[in-house]
Amino acid sequence: MTNVNAATRVLFEDFPPAAIVVFYVIAYTAIAVFFYGVYVAVRKYRRGAAAAVAGSLRARFWAMVETVLSHRTIARRDRPAGAAHRLIFYGFVLLFLGTSTITLDYDILGPLFHVHFWHGAFYLWFSLVLDVAGVALAGGLLYMMYRRGWLKPPKLDYARPDRKPGDVDYDRSEYRREDWAFLWTLLVIAVTGYLLEAVRLVWLEARPDVWDTRWWSPVGAALAQGMRAAGMSAAAGGAWRLGLWWFHGVLALIFIALIPFTKVKHIFTAAGSLMLRDPLAAQRLPRVPEQQQRVGAQYITDFTWKQLLALDACTKCGRCHEACPARAVGAPLSPRDVILSLREFANRTLDAGVLPEQAELDVHGKGPGQVAMETLWSCRTCMACVEVCPVAIEHVPIIVQLRRKLVEEGEMDPQLKKTLQTIHKTGNSFGESKRKRAAWTKALPFAVKDARKEPVEVLWFVGDYASFDPRNQKVSQGLATLLHDAGVDFGILYEAESNAGNDVRRVGEEGLYEVLATANIESLATASFKSIVTTDPHSYNTIRNEYPDFGGRYAIEHYTTLLLRLLEEGRLKIARQLGLRVTFHDPCHLGRFNKGYDAPREILRLIGCELIEMGRCRSNSFCCGAGGGRIWMPDPQGADRPAHNRMREAAAISGLQVFVVSCPKDLTMFEDALKASGNEGRFVVRELIELVREALSERQLAPSPVAA
Amino acid sequence: MKILVAVKQVAALDEDFEIRADGKDVDPDFLVRDLNEWDDFSLEEAMKIKEASATPVEVVAVCVGPEDADEALRKCLAKGADRAIRVWDETVVGSDAIAIARLIAAVARREQPQLLFAGAQSADHAFAATGMAVAAFLDWPHAAVITQLTYTPGEEGATLRRELEGGVLHEMQIETPAVLTIQLGINTPRYASLRSIKQAAAKPIEVLTPQELGVPESAVGEAGSASRVRRMYVPEKGRAQMIEGSIEEQAARLAQLIRERTGGAA
Amino acid sequence: MSGILVIAEQRRGELRPVTLELVSAAQQLRRTPDERVAVAILADEPDRFIPEVSVAGVDEVITVPVAAKDFDPDALEAAALALIEARKPAVVLVPHSIDAFGWAAALAVKGDYGFATDVFRIAYEDGKLIATRGGYGQKVNVELEFPGKPVVVVALRASVFKPPEGRSRPAVSRFEPSRAGTRLTGKEFIEASAGEDDVDMTSAEFILAIGRGIGEQANVERFRELADAVGAVLGCSRPIADAGWLPKSRQIGQSGKTASACKLYVAMGISGAIQHLAGMKHVSTIVAVNADPGASIFSIATYGVKADIFEIADALRRQFPN
């Protein structure tokens, strides 16, 4: 009868003491190398600029643990990868915990307190769980190999759009080799682990407490059966065991030692990055401290330690690369490659014992690891990259910091320069006189209250495009009519309103942004109102998230939530159901930035539209291309544009009648793109307000879209 | 070596402007002020010489104008000018280009620059005279409408190109010190970020009165001018006959006009 | 002071035609029928121009030899100053030209004369000389007077006054100025080099010109295509040429070639900055297309279309299918 309680594994069985010593020397050396790597990394991060971490570290820690354990961010938009990584993660974690448990028993509790627990039922269940964990690990790894080697998803193509073949840092084969090495090493460790398990069983077949409990390690047992069937003797098993033991052990220790020097470090850096994340990173950009000499990021040491840590968290998963609208149309920008360039640069300069001369730390340019102007200016600050990154890297603030330096030097497109000067002079990007800001109200049959002169309940912050662009003026007039009919007490600031500054800030002209924000906050201070509503998602974002940093705190909503409320409360009565087949384009600054996905959809439902979602919708909405100041810069000749790309996506919806938008820049971009992409006549572009007005009216107001 | 750059704060008309009660100028409420576009180029040219020079070059901006002209000077300081001078007091009101030039010449006598730049003309009134008038007051060599300049601080003389009608360039050699008026397109003016403009606010602007420059009251204002405004008025509104209608209708009428005027050649 | 003195402008051995426009303008300034209009030719070989300036309305031609072959402001100023001091005319007319930019103001200062530039209307009212010019970017008119200035130098805008028809037999005299030292020496004239896309604007009869309103360089092509379709030569305003979107030879405006043969001019996205207006005011039919109803160009255009230039361009293109 087998003594179950006796079941255990004798560590270092039959090892001469010298061998054990050698093992421990190797082990401690590996751990020392590991800690040295950690030291180099921490030294690198500390060479960055200071940064505050808001909120409690404890809360952040537990939030990170929850995110990591749930694998929520990895499974998003790639469920197979999420599943496979879960297997690898849990497999590895369990195996690691297992080894730690053994160390705890053998090296700590045993010698110090004479307590041993690693035997008996505990040991047997332990063995089973770890065998299963190993299978999970190996399974996950094999899937990932299949994914890379056979499926070859485009986002794992490391070809970079910001370098040309022939450039020093164009070639990415080193990354690919590292990726495969990582996969193979772990797989070999796992497989040799099972083989080791099996040969030990063969070696100790004569011992009942080992052999009779062998099926608690099912994979090892199965392999052992096979080995015996193939004629392996106990002695041979012992010999194999010795060889495999050293091989498996040393390989595992080398793996651990190299963690801080390889992709494997993402275990820690990803956790760190997730723990330190700023959920409003792209929505609320940082101010420039008053006394700061230089503005923006010129040297690698201008980035904060948090940002340098985040650079190390990138695993080249390619989700940001895939999501980026600039990359999608062939611009020389991939968010992934900005991060990787900066990381390579940081490693090359900041890993060194002695920090190089400041001149060598300049990250701007076309040299290896540097970021070019064209790359930075291609960004639309749509935050698709930030939103999808599984390890919470914040690309947009990094790009804006780099842009701030370019703006100080005046290195930008001449048209952008002019627009910034125009905004400074006239307070709007159209160069129109301030007095004309409210000219759109003159066509209305009623007067719009001047919020500077009389108190209003709702202050409507109109925005540049909605005030000056003829097509958008019609929409403004439409909303004014709706609000008037619903009896909403609203007013506008007339000439006291300036460009809210959202895009000026994202271009990197922080000085001008401060001027605009301060001016608007002063204007708002002269008015008396309960809340602000705006038709412009860009204004919405900056007033909501960034004005508080300048002393302006308001209750603000985008018109979609206000309109929904008015419809639901019956203050606006729907006269007819439109029965149109529509799709809705989530504006970046309303949807992804501020989670405003539902109100517009609910409105469309209420007015009887059949909503067919595009593939890239809600948080994955595909930017129209106007953000980040790009609407003030010319597009390269002959190139594809994000808005055209989006039109093609919409055109694939059969029977589509209306492409619905709720942002003035979207309206402008998509109306142009409709024509330029050859879709004129197939469907129309309409602002949500225009559809609502149709639904409230007994008769048709505007020429009908293609008949239902 | 010093370069004196004379700049002007010009005024553009706002929508629905009104003429002042005395009928001689526009109501200042409707004027939007900014640095003269030509002066961006003059200042940039001075900065180019300064930055390329092995020996130190001081760039001084000077403007004749009231307090709000400080904004134009701040922009110059933000772009790299070392100092700024503003000339003003109430007696300057009513000065034309010649009277203003007299004041700038007085500043030049004080500062002793090797080069004096002015814009070829101003965006508001386009007299295109101030620069050359300054040269006459100083009796310095002078050339106008410069589209290219080659000058090395410390060397005698400069090579320049004037841009003539029809796109022809006239290359000439001038003795220094000299007064040059700068044409658009001579260079690409740099951008002055708002931050640099704000920081320039810390640099002092020296304010001088005509008296301090030794220019008597009889030589400024209307008394010192070569012309006087009798009347300013809005000319009869747009002669253009507007073609109305939808886009298609307008285009059709346009096409008709084209066919008529070109004898149906198209 | 009496008499009107016209100072002729010549360059590279040719009389600039604007001189004759000045003669026309001078006629309006005769306060009495026998007030004399004289044309002074300041050149190294002034005699060769005598026949050309002997047009109707010229009473006297004064030849003034100056040392330099090319433009020399010092010499011109000294010679003109001496001549004016000797003759004491009431009004001295020069063109508002690039050359005059370089010396007229200096002359006025040296002689302490009255001075006005870019004048398009000039006359005596109640015995006072009144010169009218533009202001605030040509959005207003300004009437100038010259109290206390017995001699007034006026630079007249080109293409406003029609050259006289008919010829005259003026008296010819010679004036020897004192030598002046030259501090500005001409070296060479450089023609705008002819590139592939260059064009001779002086012979174009129908011009379609684009301005800043076209937005970006990528849009130049569609207007080039439109110009081809409607049979026009594509021209542009200064900012477009400065930015390199079109060659300088296609620039219309003060520094560009005068499109003297042009009969029909369609300006799209051009607001009408002063320098541009100078280049095409003489055209008989000007059509301005601009989204801004307040654009200055509408004040000198014959026809105006207040619309988005791209929409008009597309629609117009459709009118010429070929």
Side-chain angles (χ1 to χ4, degrees), chain A residues 292-293 295 408 412 420 425 433 435-436 509 511-512, chain B residues 14-15 29-30 34 189-191 193-198:
Chain A
Q292 195 168 307
Q293 283 287 50
V295 165
E408 273 310 296
M412 50 183 140
L420 291 174
K425 215 165 84 165
S433 149
R435 282 171 221 264
K436 276 171 89 173
E509 233 296 9
L512 180 56
Chain B
D14 207 352
E15 287 295 309
D29 276 352
F30 298 95
D34 197 12
R190 64 195 59 194
Y191 178 73
S193 76
L194 256 293
R195 190 171 165 275
S196 60
I197 293 177
K198 229 177 83 170

PDB file of all heavy atoms in Angstrom, chain A residues 292-293 295 408 412 420 425 433 435-436 509 511-512, chain B residues 14-15 29-30 34 189-191 193-198:
ATOM      1  N   GLN A 292       9.489  76.705 -16.088  1.00  0.00           N
ATOM      2  CA  GLN A 292      10.266  75.802 -16.935  1.00  0.00           C
ATOM      3  C   GLN A 292      10.958  76.547 -18.054  1.00  0.00           C
ATOM      4  O   GLN A 292      10.360  77.367 -18.730  1.00  0.00           O
ATOM      5  CB  GLN A 292       9.334  74.745 -17.522  1.00  0.00           C
ATOM      6  CG  GLN A 292      10.094  73.576 -18.109  1.00  0.00           C
ATOM      7  CD  GLN A 292       9.169  72.426 -18.403  1.00  0.00           C
ATOM      8  OE1 GLN A 292       8.433  71.998 -17.523  1.00  0.00           O
ATOM      9  NE2 GLN A 292       9.189  71.951 -19.620  1.00  0.00           N
ATOM     10  N   GLN A 293      12.234  76.253 -18.257  1.00  0.00           N
ATOM     11  CA  GLN A 293      13.018  76.953 -19.271  1.00  0.00           C
ATOM     12  C   GLN A 293      12.616  76.549 -20.674  1.00  0.00           C
ATOM     13  O   GLN A 293      12.205  77.347 -21.479  1.00  0.00           O
ATOM     14  CB  GLN A 293      14.516  76.648 -19.051  1.00  0.00           C
ATOM     15  CG  GLN A 293      15.105  77.420 -17.914  1.00  0.00           C
ATOM     16  CD  GLN A 293      15.278  78.890 -18.292  1.00  0.00           C
ATOM     17  OE1 GLN A 293      14.349  79.523 -18.789  1.00  0.00           O
ATOM     18  NE2 GLN A 293      16.449  79.410 -18.067  1.00  0.00           N
ATOM     19  N   VAL A 295      10.429  74.357 -23.436  1.00  0.00           N
ATOM     20  CA  VAL A 295       9.073  73.838 -23.565  1.00  0.00           C
ATOM     21  C   VAL A 295       9.100  72.547 -24.377  1.00  0.00           C
ATOM     22  O   VAL A 295       9.790  72.451 -25.374  1.00  0.00           O
ATOM     23  CB  VAL A 295       8.188  74.881 -24.286  1.00  0.00           C
ATOM     24  CG1 VAL A 295       6.908  74.267 -24.765  1.00  0.00           C
ATOM     25  CG2 VAL A 295       7.904  76.032 -23.358  1.00  0.00           C
ATOM     26  N   GLU A 408       7.984  75.741 -30.772  1.00  0.00           N
ATOM     27  CA  GLU A 408       8.904  76.781 -30.282  1.00  0.00           C
ATOM     28  C   GLU A 408       9.913  77.161 -31.348  1.00  0.00           C
ATOM     29  O   GLU A 408      10.283  78.313 -31.486  1.00  0.00           O
ATOM     30  CB  GLU A 408       9.673  76.289 -29.057  1.00  0.00           C
ATOM     31  CG  GLU A 408       8.989  76.499 -27.724  1.00  0.00           C
ATOM     32  CD  GLU A 408       8.491  77.902 -27.497  1.00  0.00           C
ATOM     33  OE1 GLU A 408       9.305  78.837 -27.440  1.00  0.00           O
ATOM     34  OE2 GLU A 408       7.264  78.069 -27.391  1.00  0.00           O
ATOM     35  N   MET A 412       7.060  74.009 -38.581  1.00  0.00           N
ATOM     36  CA  MET A 412       5.779  73.418 -38.929  1.00  0.00           C
ATOM     37  C   MET A 412       5.360  73.894 -40.304  1.00  0.00           C
ATOM     38  O   MET A 412       5.959  74.817 -40.852  1.00  0.00           O
ATOM     39  CB  MET A 412       4.737  73.814 -37.896  1.00  0.00           C
ATOM     40  CG  MET A 412       4.715  75.292 -37.622  1.00  0.00           C
ATOM     41  SD  MET A 412       3.537  75.695 -36.341  1.00  0.00           S
ATOM     42  CE  MET A 412       4.439  76.910 -35.457  1.00  0.00           C
ATOM     43  N   LEU A 420      -2.230  79.579 -36.911  1.00  0.00           N
ATOM     44  CA  LEU A 420      -2.000  79.912 -35.505  1.00  0.00           C
ATOM     45  C   LEU A 420      -1.934  81.425 -35.323  1.00  0.00           C
ATOM     46  O   LEU A 420      -2.497  81.980 -34.378  1.00  0.00           O
ATOM     47  CB  LEU A 420      -0.704  79.261 -35.012  1.00  0.00           C
ATOM     48  CG  LEU A 420      -0.733  77.735 -34.894  1.00  0.00           C
ATOM     49  CD1 LEU A 420       0.644  77.197 -34.552  1.00  0.00           C
ATOM     50  CD2 LEU A 420      -1.739  77.278 -33.841  1.00  0.00           C
ATOM     51  N   LYS A 425      -4.697  86.440 -33.694  1.00  0.00           N
ATOM     52  CA  LYS A 425      -5.168  87.777 -34.034  1.00  0.00           C
ATOM     53  C   LYS A 425      -6.689  87.910 -33.898  1.00  0.00           C
ATOM     54  O   LYS A 425      -7.187  88.883 -33.360  1.00  0.00           O
ATOM     55  CB  LYS A 425      -4.768  88.061 -35.494  1.00  0.00           C
ATOM     56  CG  LYS A 425      -4.401  89.503 -35.737  1.00  0.00           C
ATOM     57  CD  LYS A 425      -3.671  89.682 -37.057  1.00  0.00           C
ATOM     58  CE  LYS A 425      -4.621  89.817 -38.234  1.00  0.00           C
ATOM     59  NZ  LYS A 425      -3.933  90.331 -39.438  1.00  0.00           N
ATOM     60  N   SER A 433     -13.618  88.545 -38.662  1.00  0.00           N
ATOM     61  CA  SER A 433     -13.697  89.500 -37.563  1.00  0.00           C
ATOM     62  C   SER A 433     -14.513  88.899 -36.418  1.00  0.00           C
ATOM     63  O   SER A 433     -15.481  88.176 -36.646  1.00  0.00           O
ATOM     64  CB  SER A 433     -14.363  90.770 -38.072  1.00  0.00           C
ATOM     65  OG  SER A 433     -15.076  91.388 -37.041  1.00  0.00           O
ATOM     66  N   ARG A 435     -16.591  90.239 -34.623  1.00  0.00           N
ATOM     67  CA  ARG A 435     -17.993  90.687 -34.660  1.00  0.00           C
ATOM     68  C   ARG A 435     -18.875  89.755 -35.457  1.00  0.00           C
ATOM     69  O   ARG A 435     -20.070  89.720 -35.268  1.00  0.00           O
ATOM     70  CB  ARG A 435     -18.060  92.076 -35.307  1.00  0.00           C
ATOM     71  CG  ARG A 435     -17.655  93.209 -34.411  1.00  0.00           C
ATOM     72  CD  ARG A 435     -17.561  94.481 -35.237  1.00  0.00           C
ATOM     73  NE  ARG A 435     -16.400  95.238 -34.839  1.00  0.00           N
ATOM     74  CZ  ARG A 435     -16.435  96.238 -33.952  1.00  0.00           C
ATOM     75  NH1 ARG A 435     -17.565  96.592 -33.409  1.00  0.00           N
ATOM     76  NH2 ARG A 435     -15.340  96.863 -33.635  1.00  0.00           N
ATOM     77  N   LYS A 436     -18.272  89.008 -36.392  1.00  0.00           N
ATOM     78  CA  LYS A 436     -19.092  88.168 -37.258  1.00  0.00           C
ATOM     79  C   LYS A 436     -19.389  86.803 -36.645  1.00  0.00           C
ATOM     80  O   LYS A 436     -20.040  85.972 -37.250  1.00  0.00           O
ATOM     81  CB  LYS A 436     -18.357  87.950 -38.599  1.00  0.00           C
ATOM     82  CG  LYS A 436     -18.581  89.077 -39.574  1.00  0.00           C
ATOM     83  CD  LYS A 436     -17.680  88.926 -40.787  1.00  0.00           C
ATOM     84  CE  LYS A 436     -18.353  88.101 -41.866  1.00  0.00           C
ATOM     85  NZ  LYS A 436     -17.555  88.090 -43.095  1.00  0.00           N
ATOM     86  N   GLU A 509       0.978  74.397 -29.464  1.00  0.00           N
ATOM     87  CA  GLU A 509       1.143  75.818 -29.183  1.00  0.00           C
ATOM     88  C   GLU A 509       0.516  76.114 -27.827  1.00  0.00           C
ATOM     89  O   GLU A 509      -0.567  76.675 -27.728  1.00  0.00           O
ATOM     90  CB  GLU A 509       0.478  76.682 -30.261  1.00  0.00           C
ATOM     91  CG  GLU A 509       1.387  77.719 -30.888  1.00  0.00           C
ATOM     92  CD  GLU A 509       1.894  78.798 -29.936  1.00  0.00           C
ATOM     93  OE1 GLU A 509       1.700  78.693 -28.707  1.00  0.00           O
ATOM     94  OE2 GLU A 509       2.497  79.760 -30.407  1.00  0.00           O
ATOM     95  N   GLY A 511       1.330  78.145 -25.471  1.00  0.00           N
ATOM     96  CA  GLY A 511       1.195  79.560 -25.130  1.00  0.00           C
ATOM     97  C   GLY A 511      -0.108  80.127 -25.656  1.00  0.00           C
ATOM     98  O   GLY A 511      -0.843  80.826 -24.958  1.00  0.00           O
ATOM     99  N   LEU A 512      -0.404  79.824 -26.906  1.00  0.00           N
ATOM    100  CA  LEU A 512      -1.640  80.306 -27.503  1.00  0.00           C
ATOM    101  C   LEU A 512      -2.852  79.655 -26.832  1.00  0.00           C
ATOM    102  O   LEU A 512      -3.876  80.286 -26.604  1.00  0.00           O
ATOM    103  CB  LEU A 512      -1.656  80.027 -29.010  1.00  0.00           C
ATOM    104  CG  LEU A 512      -2.900  80.484 -29.774  1.00  0.00           C
ATOM    105  CD1 LEU A 512      -3.151  81.969 -29.582  1.00  0.00           C
ATOM    106  CD2 LEU A 512      -2.765  80.158 -31.254  1.00  0.00           C
TER     107      LEU A 512
ATOM    108  N   ASP B  14     -12.149  96.574 -39.840  1.00  0.00           N
ATOM    109  CA  ASP B  14     -13.081  95.561 -39.377  1.00  0.00           C
ATOM    110  C   ASP B  14     -14.352  95.659 -40.215  1.00  0.00           C
ATOM    111  O   ASP B  14     -14.542  96.609 -40.973  1.00  0.00           O
ATOM    112  CB  ASP B  14     -13.395  95.826 -37.898  1.00  0.00           C
ATOM    113  CG  ASP B  14     -13.774  94.567 -37.161  1.00  0.00           C
ATOM    114  OD1 ASP B  14     -13.944  93.530 -37.842  1.00  0.00           O
ATOM    115  OD2 ASP B  14     -13.897  94.616 -35.941  1.00  0.00           O
ATOM    116  N   GLU B  15     -15.235  94.666 -40.025  1.00  0.00           N
ATOM    117  CA  GLU B  15     -16.521  94.692 -40.721  1.00  0.00           C
ATOM    118  C   GLU B  15     -17.289  95.954 -40.394  1.00  0.00           C
ATOM    119  O   GLU B  15     -17.193  96.470 -39.298  1.00  0.00           O
ATOM    120  CB  GLU B  15     -17.374  93.524 -40.235  1.00  0.00           C
ATOM    121  CG  GLU B  15     -16.922  92.189 -40.745  1.00  0.00           C
ATOM    122  CD  GLU B  15     -17.087  92.103 -42.247  1.00  0.00           C
ATOM    123  OE1 GLU B  15     -18.186  92.412 -42.745  1.00  0.00           O
ATOM    124  OE2 GLU B  15     -16.112  91.745 -42.902  1.00  0.00           O
ATOM    125  N   ASP B  29     -12.389 102.246 -33.234  1.00  0.00           N
ATOM    126  CA  ASP B  29     -13.038 101.018 -32.765  1.00  0.00           C
ATOM    127  C   ASP B  29     -13.056  99.926 -33.830  1.00  0.00           C
ATOM    128  O   ASP B  29     -13.158  98.756 -33.517  1.00  0.00           O
ATOM    129  CB  ASP B  29     -14.504 101.290 -32.393  1.00  0.00           C
ATOM    130  CG  ASP B  29     -14.630 101.816 -30.978  1.00  0.00           C
ATOM    131  OD1 ASP B  29     -13.610 101.806 -30.267  1.00  0.00           O
ATOM    132  OD2 ASP B  29     -15.748 102.223 -30.621  1.00  0.00           O
ATOM    133  N   PHE B  30     -12.999 100.354 -35.080  1.00  0.00           N
ATOM    134  CA  PHE B  30     -13.123  99.385 -36.157  1.00  0.00           C
ATOM    135  C   PHE B  30     -11.779  99.007 -36.771  1.00  0.00           C
ATOM    136  O   PHE B  30     -11.730  98.429 -37.842  1.00  0.00           O
ATOM    137  CB  PHE B  30     -14.047  99.960 -37.252  1.00  0.00           C
ATOM    138  CG  PHE B  30     -15.431 100.219 -36.759  1.00  0.00           C
ATOM    139  CD1 PHE B  30     -15.779 101.489 -36.303  1.00  0.00           C
ATOM    140  CD2 PHE B  30     -16.365  99.205 -36.718  1.00  0.00           C
ATOM    141  CE1 PHE B  30     -17.065 101.730 -35.833  1.00  0.00           C
ATOM    142  CE2 PHE B  30     -17.644  99.442 -36.252  1.00  0.00           C
ATOM    143  CZ  PHE B  30     -18.001 100.707 -35.806  1.00  0.00           C
ATOM    144  N   ASP B  34      -1.969  95.074 -36.341  1.00  0.00           N
ATOM    145  CA  ASP B  34      -1.030  93.956 -36.414  1.00  0.00           C
ATOM    146  C   ASP B  34       0.278  94.496 -36.970  1.00  0.00           C
ATOM    147  O   ASP B  34       0.321  95.574 -37.575  1.00  0.00           O
ATOM    148  CB  ASP B  34      -1.597  92.856 -37.321  1.00  0.00           C
ATOM    149  CG  ASP B  34      -0.901  91.534 -37.111  1.00  0.00           C
ATOM    150  OD1 ASP B  34      -0.143  91.397 -36.128  1.00  0.00           O
ATOM    151  OD2 ASP B  34      -1.111  90.628 -37.927  1.00  0.00           O
ATOM    152  N   PRO B 189       9.968  84.153 -42.998  1.00  0.00           N
ATOM    153  CA  PRO B 189       9.999  84.640 -41.622  1.00  0.00           C
ATOM    154  C   PRO B 189       9.739  83.527 -40.618  1.00  0.00           C
ATOM    155  O   PRO B 189       8.941  82.634 -40.880  1.00  0.00           O
ATOM    156  CB  PRO B 189       8.850  85.664 -41.575  1.00  0.00           C
ATOM    157  CG  PRO B 189       8.585  86.013 -42.979  1.00  0.00           C
ATOM    158  CD  PRO B 189       8.913  84.799 -43.778  1.00  0.00           C
ATOM    159  N   ARG B 190      10.429  83.603 -39.501  1.00  0.00           N
ATOM    160  CA  ARG B 190      10.266  82.571 -38.480  1.00  0.00           C
ATOM    161  C   ARG B 190       8.973  82.795 -37.714  1.00  0.00           C
ATOM    162  O   ARG B 190       8.385  83.862 -37.733  1.00  0.00           O
ATOM    163  CB  ARG B 190      11.449  82.599 -37.513  1.00  0.00           C
ATOM    164  CG  ARG B 190      11.548  83.882 -36.708  1.00  0.00           C
ATOM    165  CD  ARG B 190      12.907  84.010 -36.053  1.00  0.00           C
ATOM    166  NE  ARG B 190      13.965  83.996 -37.046  1.00  0.00           N
ATOM    167  CZ  ARG B 190      15.250  83.829 -36.771  1.00  0.00           C
ATOM    168  NH1 ARG B 190      15.640  83.660 -35.530  1.00  0.00           N
ATOM    169  NH2 ARG B 190      16.146  83.817 -37.734  1.00  0.00           N
ATOM    170  N   TYR B 191       8.543  81.732 -37.044  1.00  0.00           N
ATOM    171  CA  TYR B 191       7.324  81.790 -36.235  1.00  0.00           C
ATOM    172  C   TYR B 191       7.706  82.242 -34.827  1.00  0.00           C
ATOM    173  O   TYR B 191       8.683  81.774 -34.267  1.00  0.00           O
ATOM    174  CB  TYR B 191       6.695  80.397 -36.177  1.00  0.00           C
ATOM    175  CG  TYR B 191       5.453  80.309 -35.335  1.00  0.00           C
ATOM    176  CD1 TYR B 191       4.254  80.859 -35.767  1.00  0.00           C
ATOM    177  CD2 TYR B 191       5.475  79.664 -34.106  1.00  0.00           C
ATOM    178  CE1 TYR B 191       3.111  80.768 -35.005  1.00  0.00           C
ATOM    179  CE2 TYR B 191       4.340  79.570 -33.337  1.00  0.00           C
ATOM    180  CZ  TYR B 191       3.155  80.120 -33.782  1.00  0.00           C
ATOM    181  OH  TYR B 191       2.028  80.029 -33.017  1.00  0.00           O
ATOM    182  N   SER B 193       6.487  81.885 -31.260  1.00  0.00           N
ATOM    183  CA  SER B 193       5.471  81.189 -30.477  1.00  0.00           C
ATOM    184  C   SER B 193       4.930  82.153 -29.422  1.00  0.00           C
ATOM    185  O   SER B 193       5.601  83.090 -29.008  1.00  0.00           O
ATOM    186  CB  SER B 193       6.067  79.964 -29.797  1.00  0.00           C
ATOM    187  OG  SER B 193       6.846  80.370 -28.690  1.00  0.00           O
ATOM    188  N   LEU B 194       3.706  81.889 -29.001  1.00  0.00           N
ATOM    189  CA  LEU B 194       3.076  82.742 -27.990  1.00  0.00           C
ATOM    190  C   LEU B 194       3.938  82.822 -26.742  1.00  0.00           C
ATOM    191  O   LEU B 194       4.028  83.846 -26.082  1.00  0.00           O
ATOM    192  CB  LEU B 194       1.704  82.163 -27.604  1.00  0.00           C
ATOM    193  CG  LEU B 194       0.505  82.878 -28.187  1.00  0.00           C
ATOM    194  CD1 LEU B 194       0.356  84.281 -27.636  1.00  0.00           C
ATOM    195  CD2 LEU B 194       0.640  82.959 -29.701  1.00  0.00           C
ATOM    196  N   ARG B 195       4.580  81.728 -26.440  1.00  0.00           N
ATOM    197  CA  ARG B 195       5.414  81.695 -25.252  1.00  0.00           C
ATOM    198  C   ARG B 195       6.569  82.673 -25.394  1.00  0.00           C
ATOM    199  O   ARG B 195       6.896  83.418 -24.473  1.00  0.00           O
ATOM    200  CB  ARG B 195       5.944  80.277 -25.067  1.00  0.00           C
ATOM    201  CG  ARG B 195       6.622  80.075 -23.754  1.00  0.00           C
ATOM    202  CD  ARG B 195       6.927  78.614 -23.517  1.00  0.00           C
ATOM    203  NE  ARG B 195       7.881  78.494 -22.444  1.00  0.00           N
ATOM    204  CZ  ARG B 195       9.187  78.572 -22.595  1.00  0.00           C
ATOM    205  NH1 ARG B 195       9.690  78.759 -23.784  1.00  0.00           N
ATOM    206  NH2 ARG B 195       9.990  78.460 -21.559  1.00  0.00           N
ATOM    207  N   SER B 196       7.197  82.677 -26.571  1.00  0.00           N
ATOM    208  CA  SER B 196       8.321  83.579 -26.747  1.00  0.00           C
ATOM    209  C   SER B 196       7.847  85.025 -26.744  1.00  0.00           C
ATOM    210  O   SER B 196       8.549  85.909 -26.267  1.00  0.00           O
ATOM    211  CB  SER B 196       9.086  83.265 -28.038  1.00  0.00           C
ATOM    212  OG  SER B 196       8.242  83.410 -29.150  1.00  0.00           O
ATOM    213  N   ILE B 197       6.622  85.271 -27.222  1.00  0.00           N
ATOM    214  CA  ILE B 197       6.084  86.630 -27.190  1.00  0.00           C
ATOM    215  C   ILE B 197       5.838  87.043 -25.746  1.00  0.00           C
ATOM    216  O   ILE B 197       6.135  88.165 -25.335  1.00  0.00           O
ATOM    217  CB  ILE B 197       4.776  86.732 -28.017  1.00  0.00           C
ATOM    218  CG1 ILE B 197       5.092  86.521 -29.492  1.00  0.00           C
ATOM    219  CG2 ILE B 197       4.102  88.071 -27.808  1.00  0.00           C
ATOM    220  CD1 ILE B 197       3.877  86.525 -30.395  1.00  0.00           C
ATOM    221  N   LYS B 198       5.305  86.089 -24.969  1.00  0.00           N
ATOM    222  CA  LYS B 198       5.047  86.388 -23.561  1.00  0.00           C
ATOM    223  C   LYS B 198       6.348  86.678 -22.831  1.00  0.00           C
ATOM    224  O   LYS B 198       6.436  87.595 -22.029  1.00  0.00           O
ATOM    225  CB  LYS B 198       4.368  85.184 -22.899  1.00  0.00           C
ATOM    226  CG  LYS B 198       3.133  85.547 -22.109  1.00  0.00           C
ATOM    227  CD  LYS B 198       2.426  84.339 -21.530  1.00  0.00           C
ATOM    228  CE  LYS B 198       3.026  83.873 -20.217  1.00  0.00           C
ATOM    229  NZ  LYS B 198       2.210  82.848 -19.539  1.00  0.00           N
TER     230      LYS B 198
END
